[in-house]
């Protein structure tokens, strides 16, 4: 087993021992699916509104999990390693500290994929939630959304000197993202100004792109462009700003 593979294995075990991570990946999306399924099935909304909510609920659950991983778990973990001097000590070992960054990215990406699969499977089998109508559009939206959100998390990890500061920075972005991105209420129920701002946020663009794929539509060019620009720009910024100690 190579050093990089062994490091990834060890980091995976540490990740799975964290109950917070397990909650965000498994419990939270399923809880959201159950709650919104109960609310929508008991409501008196017309058929069109219920159809819209049927696309909103799984896309929202998936997007929220990605946001939690990107803005909370990933930057806090890497900032903790910097704060405790783990990255500095690894620099003196045969294993380059960059491998730790790659391991964390790999773990979080796999976690995001697992969460997405759980939302699709549980939503379909337990709550009769429809699957994305346009699979290629869904894959493009999910990949771009994951990249954009995780790149923001890497920027936080690059500049946060401690776990507390990483958590504070992540939360300062999390709640505005949820509000403007339409995670609390569907885009069509938000004020026009808030909805417009949300189109230019990574969560808002990702959520709307996923909703479009669920409704058998190709995502809007605006949303895909926003995700692509944020992903490239934030990734470059994280690489430029990142410090091992």
């Amino acid at each position: 087993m190579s050093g990089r593979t062994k490091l990834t294995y060890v980091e995976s075990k540490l990740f799975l021992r964290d109950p917070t991570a397990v909650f965000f990946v498994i419990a939270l999306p399923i809880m959201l699916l159950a709650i919104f399924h109960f609310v929508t099935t008991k409501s008196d909304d017309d058929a069109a509104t219920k159809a819209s909510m049927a696309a909103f609920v799984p896309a929202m659950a998936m997007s929220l999990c990605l946001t939690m991983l990107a803005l909370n778990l990933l930057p806090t973990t890497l900032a903790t390693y910097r704060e405790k001097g783990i990255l500095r000590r690894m620099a003196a070992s045969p294993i380059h500290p960059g491998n730790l960054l790659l391991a964390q990215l790999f773990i979080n990406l796999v976690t995001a994929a697992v969460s997405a699969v759980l939302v699709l499977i549980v939503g379909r089998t337990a709550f009769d939630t429809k699957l994305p109508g346009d699979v290629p559009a869904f894959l493009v939206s999910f990949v771009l959304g994951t990249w954009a959100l995780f790149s923001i998390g890497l920027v936080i990890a690059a500049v946060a000197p401690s776990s507390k500061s990483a958590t504070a920075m992540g939360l300062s972005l999390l709640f505005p993202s949820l509000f403007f991105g339409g995670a609390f209420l569907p885009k069509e129920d938000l004020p026009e100004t808030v909805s417009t701002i949300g189109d230019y946020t990574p969560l808002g663009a990702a959520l709307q792109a996923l909703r479009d794929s669920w409704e058998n539509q190709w995502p809007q060019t605006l949303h895909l462009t926003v995700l692509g620009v944020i992903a490239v720009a934030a990734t470059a910024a994280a690489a430029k700003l990142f410090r091992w100690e």
Side-chain angles (χ1 to χ4, degrees), residues 49 57 239:
T49 301
V57 173

Side-chain angles (χ1 to χ4, degrees), residues 6-192:
K6 187 173 183 180
L7 179 62
T8 303
Y9 173 73
V10 172
E11 289 297 313
S12 300
K13 291 178 63 177
L14 293 174
F15 180 85
L16 292 174
R17 289 175 183 174
D18 183 2
T20 304
V22 175
F23 173 78
F24 283 136
V25 174
I26 299 177
L28 182 60
I30 303 307
M31 288 172 56
L32 291 172
L33 282 175
I35 292 171
F36 277 91
H37 173 76
F38 176 78
V39 171
T40 54
T41 54
K42 296 298 182 180
S43 69
D44 297 327
D45 294 330
D46 55 35
T49 301
K50 288 187 175 182
S52 177
M53 288 299 294
F56 168 74
V57 173
M60 179 272 298
M62 202 173 290
S63 300
L64 185 57
C65 180
L66 290 175
T67 306
M68 292 293 188
L69 286 170
L71 300 183
N72 187 273
L73 293 179
L74 176 60
T76 300
T77 299
L78 292 175
T80 299
Y81 287 163
R82 179 185 294 113
E83 180 182 16
K84 293 183 177 180
I86 295 174
L87 297 179
R88 184 179 65 253
R89 290 194 294 271
M90 287 187 66
S93 70
I95 300 177
H96 191 274
N99 290 332
L100 180 60
L101 176 59
L102 293 175
Q104 281 294 323
L105 280 174
F106 175 78
I107 292 167
N108 280 272
L109 289 172
V110 170
T111 302
V114 169
S115 176
V117 171
L118 284 174
V119 167
L120 293 175
I121 293 176
V122 176
R124 184 61 179 173
T125 57
F127 307 117
D128 198 29
T129 302
K130 68 176 183 178
L131 297 175
D134 191 327
V135 176
F138 168 77
L139 293 175
V140 170
S141 301
F142 182 79
V143 170
L144 272 180
T146 301
W147 183 12
L149 286 165
F150 275 41
S151 65
I152 299 296
L154 287 177
V155 172
I156 297 175
V159 300
S162 66
S163 59
K164 289 184 179 180
S165 61
T167 300
M169 294 169 67
L171 291 177
S172 68
L173 291 177
L174 174 62
F175 291 106
S177 296
L178 296 178
F179 176 70
F180 288 104
F184 292 140
L185 287 173
K187 175 183 173 68
E188 53 269 23
D189 294 333
L190 293 172
E192 184 177 354

